[in-house]
Amino acid sequence: MANRIVVDPVTRIEGHLRIEAEVKDGKIVEAYSSGTMVRGLEIILKGRDPRDAWAITERVCGVCTTVHALASIRAVEDALKIKIPPSAELVRNLMFCAQYMQDHVVHFYHLHALDWVDVVSALSANPAETSKIARSISPWPKSSPKYFGAIQDRVKKFVASGQLGIFSNAYWGHPAYKLPPEINLLGVAHYLEALEWQKEIVKIHAIFGGKNPHPNYVVGGMPCSINIEEVNSINIERLSHVKSLLQEAKTFVEQVYIPDVLAVAPYYTDWAAIGGGLSNYLSFGDLPTNGYNDPLSFKFPRGIILDRNLNEVVEFDVNKVEEYIARSWYTYGTGDNKGKHPWEGETNLNYTGPQPPYEFLNVEGKYSWLKTPRWDGKPMEVGPLARMLVGYVSGREEFQEVVNGALAKLNVPATVLFSTLGRTAARALETQLVSNWSFEFFDQLMANIKNGETRMFNNEKWDPTTWPATAKGVGLTEAPRGALSHYINIKNQRIDNYQLVVPSTWNASPKDPQGQRSAYEEALVGTPVANIEQPLEIIRTIHSFDPCLACAVHLYDENGSYVHQLNTF
Ligand code: NFE
Ligand code: MG
């Protein structure tokens, strides 16, 4: 007989996620992923000025703080055929890069690392040994025995006080933790350092967009003015601040993040064969170098990999996207078993239970607030792994270089990418690429300024009386967690319909009417669970996707207040 495990809430993520898993003979045989929160953003947007949508959608989430603004303004620009000035594109790209570097580093250290790093074990480390290891993998200066000794003392004080704070309620001592105490101490030290660093990099958002989280954007360009000599503009002092933040980020990524991922990975090679899940990968691509309408110019290429075929990238067609609600707490006017293209999308809430308090969801019926997106009827994994695979198979040298380099260092074949470990490695590797590209965008922006190309805003269509009576558009981007799209229908200068299809909706959604699993559920099937009271393994695979349920349901918890809580930290 199978045991049903419930993990609710899954913590160290954004938003409210519940996982129910059937475990038989120590392995997961079926899984159910449920978003237990609903907020109704798509409903809130109806009837509003399309030029305001970015400010509302951006507040879907405080983790991916910029990406919904970008998808939104692009959707409106697509509908109204607005071209933005080249320097505005570069500023958008720089904000994109800053978002990725912060989000990925925070995910690795603060949301994912403690699945692999045992904080309590770090107390028994020899700081001199940790220092030796640290110096052998990186020139990062904070690596002396004294430094690691001081970190260890700090953690000891935490533990002695009986108040572990952010480190409380974990599965410390679980047999699935494999790192020696010295590497655990390294991980804890860098957890604390990353916390300091991440608040610096987002100053780039404050410089160009006024603040973080939720910097300002504008339909038609960017709401900042460049004048290198003007005190209230983006002047030479602010631009050199951006440059130095990019340099510090590059050092942190190259000397801390990547070496740590490579130092931890060899202890967990079994996770290179666990958690692969789906075999289809989708990337919308992003970081235009010749305008948003020329996807071939994107640094992250657009495309689809089907059936893990590493010889072909299939072309993405936006008309083949559909969202299903057969297993979601919604209803469609046209019947619950047929998919709908987001341009015809509907958001009609329809909670069918169970009523709290309850033990299990009604997994045979509707069980999530997430809709289920499909491309050409197929489930897709989105995110860093999808982007790296599409870049790799597209034959882009930069992608091949970093991927092949890491594979050679770990002495493993490319197939290890299709796994929990592969997903976590792909995120680190793309951070390296993004850091490299950020300097190209910065230099190009400086060259534009030299040539007098400082325009930031195209006001041609600002006046709504110039708009057609009806228009529709799509805004595509790659959020840190994957392919993100916003669909807008404009009628008489107002939003007639607005649909968000976000990365965690692709990955965390419930089954479709054919019973096909989405990425989380598929990745969990086959995962071993050593101790059903402490399902660390579930958390590892789910965290490898970097869940954000706030984004995914964009909809308020009335019904999910009852929590069957496992001791997850
Ligand atoms: Ni709230 Fe998000 C990202 C978006 S959801 S984090 O990245 O879009 O997956
Ligand atoms: Mg939606």
Side-chain angles (χ1 to χ4, degrees):
M1 218 196 98
N3 278 307
R4 175 89 60 94
I5 313 182
V6 179
V7 186
D8 183 5
V10 175
T11 55
R12 285 192 280 116
I13 65 164
E14 166 65 35
H16 301 7
L17 172 67
R18 173 184 177 105
I19 298 289
E20 294 194 10
E22 310 270 1
V23 178
K24 209 172 160 202
D25 304 328
K27 272 196 175 165
I28 296 175
V29 292
E30 185 53 278
Y32 304 92
S33 167
S34 172
T36 56
M37 166 184 70
V38 66
R39 294 157 74 202
L41 266 153
E42 291 165 337
I43 303 165
I44 292 169
L45 284 159
K46 280 196 186 208
R48 292 181 184 265
D49 188 322
R51 295 168 300 177
D52 292 344
W54 68 267
I56 297 168
T57 60
E58 191 179 44
R59 281 147 178 90
V60 156
C61 182
V63 172
C64 56
T65 66
T66 59
V67 296
H68 292 279
L70 182 60
S72 181
I73 51 179
R74 280 180 175 169
V76 180
E77 288 161 358
D78 183 45
L80 301 174
K81 308 206 171 14
I82 298 171
K83 245 183 114 199
I84 69 165
S87 293
E89 195 85 77
L90 289 165
V91 169
R92 289 184 184 179
N93 283 355
L94 284 166
M95 294 183 62
F96 181 107
C97 293
Q99 165 75 73
Y100 263 55
M101 291 189 277
Q102 189 229 18
D103 201 346
H104 284 359
V105 166
V106 167
H107 173 261
F108 181 69
Y109 288 100
H110 309 122
L111 305 180
H112 199 23
L114 303 187
D115 301 340
W116 314 99
V117 170
D118 185 333
V119 176
V120 172
S121 150
L123 299 180
S124 53
N126 173 349
E129 251 335 281
T130 302
S131 164
K132 224 178 186 175
I133 295 169
R135 286 172 169 161
S136 75
I137 60 172
S138 166
W140 182 245
K142 289 181 169 177
S143 292
S144 68
K146 200 171 151 207
Y147 177 71
F148 290 115
I151 296 278
Q152 199 178 36
D153 287 344
R154 243 169 105 181
V155 178
K156 271 186 190 150
K157 276 190 199 136
F158 261 141
V159 174
S161 72
Q163 295 185 335
L164 270 168
I166 50 175
F167 301 133
S168 60
N169 284 340
Y171 299 149
W172 309 133
H174 190 292
Y177 282 112
K178 304 284 189 206
L179 297 176
E182 284 69 29
I183 297 190
N184 284 319
L185 180 57
L186 184 72
V188 174
H190 292 167
Y191 178 111
L192 298 168
E193 285 175 45
L195 213 46
E196 285 290 318
W197 170 79
Q198 61 86 28
K199 74 179 186 344
E200 294 302 310
I201 183 70
V202 293
K203 288 179 179 167
I204 290 176
H205 290 174
I207 291 170
F208 290 121
K211 66 196 214 19
N212 173 281
H214 308 135
N216 297 315
Y217 282 74
V218 67
V219 169
M222 285 304 284
C224 53
S225 59
I226 296 190
N227 181 336
I228 53 172
E229 287 166 356
E230 166 60 47
V231 72
N232 291 317
S233 294
I234 307 292
N235 54 31
I236 200 65
E237 184 203 349
R238 287 182 195 158
L239 287 163
S240 26
H241 192 179
V242 170
K243 178 90 186 261
S244 70
L245 291 166
L246 293 176
Q247 267 155 346
E248 285 163 23
K250 185 171 165 63
T251 306
F252 197 87
V253 169
E254 288 179 354
Q255 298 189 9
V256 184
Y257 181 22
I258 301 222
D260 283 359
V261 173
L262 293 174
V264 169
Y267 294 89
Y268 291 108
T269 46
D270 46 337
W271 287 87
I274 299 172
L278 297 176
S279 46
N280 304 322
Y281 301 87
L282 161 68
S283 167
F284 293 155
D286 210 324
L287 293 175
T289 61
N290 183 39
Y292 170 68
N293 290 322
D294 179 10
L296 290 175
S297 80
F298 290 5
K299 289 287 195 184
F300 278 121
R302 179 173 292 173
I304 291 171
I305 308 278
L306 293 177
D307 302 322
R308 297 191 182 168
N309 177 358
L310 296 185
N311 297 308
E312 190 191 3
V313 177
V314 175
E315 204 178 321
F316 168 72
D317 176 352
V318 76
N319 293 303
K320 294 187 179 172
V321 175
E322 281 190 314
E323 286 196 299
Y324 290 85
I325 46 113
R327 316 300 293 276
S328 321
W329 291 308
Y330 298 94
T331 184
Y332 281 167
T334 45
D336 287 5
N337 278 323
K338 272 182 68 184
K340 269 188 168 299
H341 191 278
W343 273 316
E344 278 84 51
E346 294 176 25
T347 306
N348 313 312
L349 311 189
N350 177 34
Y351 186 69
T352 53
Q355 295 305 326
Y358 56 85
E359 195 178 4
F360 299 125
L361 293 166
N362 170 17
V363 295
E364 304 306 321
K366 292 177 183 276
Y367 62 91
S368 179
W369 285 113
L370 274 64
K371 296 178 181 172
T372 304
R374 292 289 180 256
W375 187 79
D376 201 16
K378 298 176 179 57
M380 295 280 148
E381 172 171 339
V382 300
L385 179 55
R387 284 189 288 264
M388 291 308 285
L389 289 171
V390 171
Y392 191 81
V393 179
S394 299
R396 299 280 184 101
E397 254 173 49
E398 294 169 292
F399 286 82
Q400 299 195 336
E401 224 167 78
V402 289
V403 172
N404 291 337
L407 293 172
K409 217 169 192 165
L410 296 170
N411 197 18
V412 289
T415 47
V416 302
L417 290 167
F418 307 122
S419 66
T420 297
L421 194 63
R423 216 168 272 127
T424 297
R427 187 173 292 108
L429 296 177
E430 74 168 6
T431 314
Q432 174 74 67
L433 292 180
V434 165
S435 169
N436 298 346
W437 296 332
S438 68
F439 293 94
E440 292 179 31
F441 300 135
F442 182 83
D443 291 346
Q444 186 62 49
L445 179 63
M446 294 305 284
N448 283 6
I449 295 171
K450 242 186 210 147
N451 294 329
E453 182 47 79
T454 54
R455 291 172 305 147
M456 276 291 139
F457 177 55
N458 170 358
N459 69 353
E460 279 166 28
K461 300 271 175 64
W462 190 252
D463 176 0
T465 60
T466 63
W467 300 355
T470 60
K472 68 176 186 180
V474 57
L476 305 175
T477 180
E478 281 292 324
R481 286 153 198 76
L484 167 65
S485 47
H486 285 200
Y487 301 81
I488 192 167
N489 301 65
I490 302 173
K491 195 174 167 189
N492 301 331
Q493 285 101 40
R494 294 277 149 181
I495 296 173
D496 191 44
N497 199 9
Y498 200 106
Q499 293 286 323
L500 301 86
V501 183
V502 322
S504 296
T505 319
W506 286 96
N507 288 340
S509 38
K511 296 174 180 61
D512 63 26
Q514 274 80 48
Q516 298 184 98
R517 300 181 193 100
S518 298
Y520 290 10
E521 293 182 351
E522 190 68 36
L524 285 175
V525 171
T527 294
V529 177
N531 173 358
I532 61 167
E533 297 299 318
Q534 296 197 334
L536 177 61
E537 298 90 343
I538 292 181
I539 305 296
R540 281 182 176 167
T541 290
I542 294 297
H543 280 163
S544 75
F545 287 94
D546 191 2
C548 177
L549 276 288
C551 280
V553 286
H554 34 269
L555 292 186
Y556 188 81
D557 180 349
E558 259 182 287
N559 304 297
S561 49
Y562 170 75
V563 167
H564 175 95
Q565 186 173 1
L566 268 159
N567 203 13
T568 62
F569 48 101

